[in-house]
Structures are given as C-alpha cells and as structure tokens.
Amino acid sequence: MSRQRSRDSVRQSLRSFLALIGLCLSALGSTACAQPGEAPGGTTAFVGVNVIPMDRERVLENQVVIVRDGRIVSVEPAAAAQVPADARRIDAAGRWLMPGLAEMHGHVPGPEDPGYAEDVLFLYVANGVTTVRSMAGHPGLLALRERIAGGDLLGPTLHAASPWLSAEAAATPEAARAIVRQHRQSGYDLIKIGSLPRDAYGAMAEEAHAIGLPFGGHIPQDVGLVGALEARQASIDHFDRYVEFMVPQDRIPAGQEPGFFGSGWVGLIDEGRIADAVARTVAAGTWNVPTLSLVEHLASSEPGEAMIRRPEMRYMPRRVLDGWAQAKREFQASATFQPEAARALVDLRRRLLHALHEAGAPIALGSDAPQFFNVPGFSIHHEMGMMAAAGLSPYAVLESGTRNPARYFGTPDAFGTVAPGRRADLILLEANPLEDLDNVQRRVGVMVRGRWLPEAEIQARLEQIARDAAAS
Ligand SMILES: [Zn+2]
C-alpha cells in the first residue's frame, strides 16, 4: 500500500465516522434544554476553602475567594477576609478550589443540530473544562464563541480554529496567502493545519506571521518536524511527525509506510534522536498538545463494541457510538494496524512526553473530543491519567490544563490560575487533586465565567442528555 494510500485509508475511516456524526446531527432534531445555573452577575464567596492557585506547586489553606461579575476579585486568608453582606456564600471548608481546565484540542459540532452542539458544550463544562481550543472550525463556531462570551449560552470559553487547511483549499502559495487573510477576516483565532504542499505551507506561515495569526495542528508530510519548528508553528498536535524525525535517513525502508502517527516505522527509530527532537522543540518554543488518548484509543486492541460500553458513553448519541465502533472495526481490520507496533508507539509517545516535560518544553492538555471514543470533558480525565502514567506529576499534569493554556494564548493573567483579576473559571472539589488526579472528578461544583453550577444541577442535566441520547 502506498504511503499516500495508507494515509488516505486512515482519513477515510475518520471521514466515515465524521459522516455518521453528520447523519446523527440531522436525525436528532433540535432538543435545546433549559440552561441550569444562575446568571453570572452578582457576588459569590467560597468560604474556608483550600486554594490550589497553580502559580506554583502550593496550597493556600482556609481562604475566602470572592468572585464578582465573572471575575475573581480577592483571595485572602479566612481570618482576614470580609465576606460582603450581599454575597452568596458557598461553605467550602475542607474543600479544594482549583482553576477550570482547558481542552486544547477539542471540537464543537456544527450548526446542523444546535441541541447536540449545546450538549457537547455542557459535557465539557460538567467536567470542569471551562476553555476549549476548538480545532477544525466552521462558521457556526464563531457564532457560538460570541454567544458564550456574551453570556447568552452556557459553555466553555471558545478559541476558534479555522476550517482544516488542506491541499485542496491551499494548493499554491498564492492560495495559501489568500486563505490566511480570509480566515483572519472571518474572525478565526488560529489556522488549523492539515495537509498542504511544502511551498504553500511556507507562504501560509509567512502570511500568518505577518498578520499575527497563529497556526497549529498537524504537520504536512513534506514539511516534517524540522520544517514546522523552523516555521514557528504555534502548536504540534498528536505528536505528529515525531516518529518520522526519529528514523535516520538510511533506515527509511523502501515501500514501508509510516502508518498512523508513525506506527509503521516505530521499530526503526534511533533512540538517540528522541533527545534531538526534544532539544529542537525546546529551542523553537513550540507547544505540544499530545492527545495521548486519541492515539491510545486507535492503538488499543480492545474491540470498539467494548469501548462504547464505558460509563460516559451514555451521553453520546447512538449513531456517534456506532460510528466510532465501526471506524475501530475497520481500522483493526486494515493493514495499517499492527498490534505490536501500536503498543510500541504508545510506549514511545509516553517516553517522548516525559522527555519533553523534563526538558521544559511547553505542553498543553488535549484529548481530541468528541473524536474516537473521547466523550467531551470525560476524556480529559483519561488524558490526565495517561500523562501521569507517562511519569508526569499531578501538578505537572494540572499545569498543562490550567496555567499553561493561558500562557499559550499569551494571556497568562486572564485565566488558568486562582488570583484576583482572573476569569472566574473554577472547580470545587471534595479532595486534593495534587495528591491524586482522580480527585478532579470528585466535584462539588463548577464555576464558569462566574456562573455557579452545583453538582446536583450538573447531574440533572447529564441525566437529561443521557435520556435524549438513549432515545436518539
Ligand atoms: Zn481533532
């Protein structure tokens, strides 16, 4: 099978379940739900809470955190703090308050079915995901971004990537320049890189830098890791092209394809080149969004039919689940899938993540929901578990989802830490997440842009989403 054909077959599988998702959207009809939670205005006080500020690894015990009009206004020791008389008090003694999380490689469905898109937005928030960098955008995403920002719709703060930039959309340097300007005009926050010719990529990069629009995502095959780092690509997602970089020129096998994310070449790498890849990444300052979860779901030998029986799958429409199971079945039956190589790939990616982290390369949390068994919000907990299994401390994992994304966007003071002036995106927990990342799931409630959602309200709407999904 040619390299192009094997890449195409993976894309075909992806397309086939994307198409199924599309079918599902049109079949569902509109099922807009009432928004739980209160309006973001007014004052809220978390009283007696242990704060995990995420500015560095520490806990501030027994604090009062005051939120007003969607922002944190003060963080003070309880003994010294004044709780305003008109504040809603949340008794948080013995509980833990951390910043909301970011899904840095997420997706939000298109406008074909507003009910499904709104459910996806809620699934993120229900899990404490209060910021989403939504990759592979569409015009409907821009409208959702504005409605959320305006308080008209409950959801995470959205950063909207452009539609996937493909060879068809940008075949020549001129076309690439034009489309970058057009996406800027439309209001996208990022150019999402897919596959495009090397010279078009170069022109795209030049134009994007000239107008101050970042670009990230995949790396075109002809550009490679070195080319993307030299072009100052803002983020590399899925560790794309790292394996190919690690295979020395003289080991590249004639007629053997790299396969999905380099799995076909994983046995050919020069281990010494891991350090080289890491050093080059650190020098370039390029961010990585590993999406371990996406690739580990692809690489696992578990049947898709078993995977769609995991508890959180009940929140996804039936057709989406069937699409995932079918895509997994087709993938496992394809020549691209070699179980042993897939296991080696997972191991290599975990080692790469650990090495990048140890060397100080910037890492941001992302799982690629809702793609391939990644249920929005719920998948972030799996991703964090996989990062911990790669050897990152709980603090380092939480940093990748809080403080680091704020740094990635160039707005370190906007969100991602608990401090005065920050957007009031917060998760209140029963136990300390620095001791065990599973504690991020022991929620008391979530605050998104100052709107407080107690866990009972979250569960009530989750049940409604599950009922709608079962009936779909
Ligand atoms: Zn994606």
Side-chain angles (χ1 to χ4, degrees), residues 106-135:
H107 295 274
V108 176
E112 302 87 351
D113 185 328
Y116 179 53
E118 288 177 19
D119 286 352
V120 164
L121 293 170
F122 185 78
L123 293 174
Y124 283 124
V125 168
N127 283 277
V129 172
T130 51
T131 300
V132 172
R133 189 177 70 139
S134 187
M135 303 299 279

Side-chain angles (χ1 to χ4, degrees), residues 105-107 135-136 164 192 218 238 291 294 368-369 371:
H105 189 118
H107 295 274
M135 303 299 279
W164 166 278
K192 165 72 191 271
H218 287 268
H238 323 298
T291 70
L294 172 74
D368 207 350
Q371 302 271 44

Side-chain angles (χ1 to χ4, degrees), residues 183-266:
H183 287 327
R184 175 51 176 263
Q185 192 82 33
S186 302
Y188 291 108
D189 302 310
L190 174 84
I191 299 290
K192 165 72 191 271
I193 303 300
S195 55
L196 65 170
R198 194 192 170 106
D199 56 350
Y201 178 90
M204 174 284 304
E206 214 175 86
E207 191 69 28
H209 284 305
I211 63 176
L213 192 58
F215 53 98
H218 287 268
I219 300 176
Q221 186 163 2
D222 299 343
V223 172
L225 178 65
V226 172
L229 295 176
E230 280 173 356
R232 290 177 291 132
Q233 181 160 325
S235 75
I236 298 171
D237 296 53
H238 323 298
F239 286 151
D240 204 14
R241 305 295 171 204
Y242 272 88
V243 172
E244 288 92 323
F245 171 82
M246 291 173 199
V247 177
Q249 277 297 320
D250 59 357
R251 287 192 202 167
I252 293 177
Q256 191 184 328
E257 302 312 317
F260 73 100
F261 299 108
S263 62
W265 288 6
V266 74

Side-chain angles (χ1 to χ4, degrees), residues 171-182:
T172 64
E174 296 70 37
R177 286 181 195 279
I179 205 157
V180 167
R181 289 193 299 270
Q182 189 189 318

Side-chain angles (χ1 to χ4, degrees), residues 40-42 67-72 422-425 448-451:
V67 170
R68 187 175 301 129
D69 298 332
R71 300 220 163 255
I72 298 169
R422 305 299 188 267
R423 201 161 69 221
D425 288 341
V448 54
R449 310 176 74 86
R451 182 189 290 218

